């Protein structure tokens, strides 16, 4: 066999390997494209379509995404299992408050299901201030909620750059805005007064009754099991907290200090009492007794009371164990 033939024979495995590598690379690229297409169709997004300043639709117009997440990444709401809440991932794009009217809530790659241009007669919104379950609310940021009817879809977003004193005053003023006209109020009043104000879209909450089919079809089997288990866990935790609050309420009613019930319930939950037990019931009764004697107190004082009672409980338990032991350990005489 000639040297040329030997060289060609030696090259054949390399050529085959290169072809296989190219085929694998092509397959990986096709898979990534298919996955991206699939994810796009499953996304829930808040976006803004840019046009030439009129009402015409331009196919080549730029689309800016401000927040997005996969539908299946949502979860049942902690306080209401009839709600499916999706936390939105913030994009690099910045939404100015003055552009709020151009934004839409979209699914399936851009199909609008709600518009912030004009709310329907049944839809409304309100300034929620710092009353929110989003942990990243900080500084002067103000939470806003919009409920789109009849779908019962709730969009939550933050406004940054609107001074806290100003939005606090709006919350306290009964006729500051009409709930149906909250978007014009924000765009025509707040944005004009504070042109640097921006919007961060945080979450979208759907009524499970309205998206039952989507939950059945879009959630993979393992994800269904996961969210159902999470829902049951949250339900148990919520029921436990409810029992604690009811115990606080009944005791404070009996003592004639029910007017401080809401404050006491918050203190009890904040120090970590999330379910009833014999020990926790005694702690609650001790806190209520202190409240009856001296009125309101700090969360730190409540922690100190519970810590002291825990130490006493541990001492009692150790003493009980020593008495039950056939050969109790004795100290030096």
């Amino acid at each position: 066999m000639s040297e040329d033939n030997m060289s060609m024979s030696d090259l054949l495995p390399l050529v085959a390997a290169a072809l296989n590598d190219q085929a694998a690379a092509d397959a990986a690229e096709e898979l990534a494209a298919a996955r991206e297409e699939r994810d796009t169709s499953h996304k829930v997004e808040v976006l803004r379509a840019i046009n030439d300043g009129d009402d015409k639709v331009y196919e080549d117009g730029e689309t800016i995404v401000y927040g997005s997440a996969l539908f299946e990444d949502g979860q049942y709401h902690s306080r209401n299992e009839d709600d499916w809440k999706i936390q939105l991932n913030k994009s690099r794009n910045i939404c100015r408050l003055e552009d709020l009217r151009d934004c839409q809530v979209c699914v399936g790659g851009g199909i609008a299901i709600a518009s912030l241009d004009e709310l329907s007669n049944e839809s409304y919104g309100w300034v929620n201030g710092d009353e929110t379950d989003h942990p990243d609310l900080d500084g002067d940021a103000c939470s806003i909620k919009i409920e789109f009817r009849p779908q019962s879809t709730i969009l939550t977003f933050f406004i940054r750059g609107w001074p806290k004193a100003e939005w606090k005053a709006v919350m306290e003023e009964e006729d500051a805005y009409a709930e149906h006209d909250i978007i014009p109020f924000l765009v025509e009043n707040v944005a004009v007064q504070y042109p640097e104000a921006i919007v961060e879209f945080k979450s979208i909450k759907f009524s499970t009754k309205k998206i039952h089919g989507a939950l059945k079809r879009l959630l993979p089997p393992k994800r269904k099991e996961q969210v159902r288990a999470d829902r049951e866990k949250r339900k148990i935790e919520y029921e436990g907290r409810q029992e604690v609050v009811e115990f606080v309420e009944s005791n404070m009613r009996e003592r004639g200090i029910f007017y401080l019930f809401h404050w006491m319930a918050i203190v009890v939950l904040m120090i970590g009492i999330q379910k009833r037990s014999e020990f926790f019931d005694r702690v609650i009764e001790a806190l209520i007794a202190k409240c009856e004697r001296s009125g309101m107190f700090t969360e730190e004082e409540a922690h100190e009371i519970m810590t002291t009672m825990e130490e006493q409980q541990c001492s009692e338990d150790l003493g009980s164990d020593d008495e039950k032991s056939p050969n109790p350990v004795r100290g030096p005489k």
Side-chain angles (χ1 to χ4, degrees), residues 161-222:
W162 185 13
K164 189 171 186 176
E166 295 294 327
W167 58 255
K168 279 281 190 183
V170 168
M171 292 181 69
E172 294 170 1
E173 186 179 343
E174 186 174 347
D175 299 324
Y177 63 93
E179 290 186 338
H180 172 67
D181 295 325
I182 186 161
I183 300 299
F185 169 75
L186 294 175
V187 174
E188 298 171 11
N189 293 69
V190 179
V192 171
Q193 191 173 1
Y194 302 99
E196 301 301 319
I198 62 173
V199 175
E200 290 180 11
F201 296 98
K202 306 304 295 184
S203 67
I204 297 174
K205 189 166 61 177
F206 296 96
S207 168
T208 54
K209 296 177 182 178
K210 304 290 185 180
I211 58 168
H212 181 67
L215 287 172
K216 290 184 67 175
R217 298 179 65 189
L218 296 182
L219 265 61
K222 288 186 178 180

Side-chain angles (χ1 to χ4, degrees), residues 35 62 69 97 175 217 230 233 263 271 283:
R35 185 179 290 115
E62 184 183 1
L97 181 57
D175 299 324
R217 298 179 65 189
D230 183 61
K233 177 184 176 183
W263 164 80
I271 64 174
V283 173

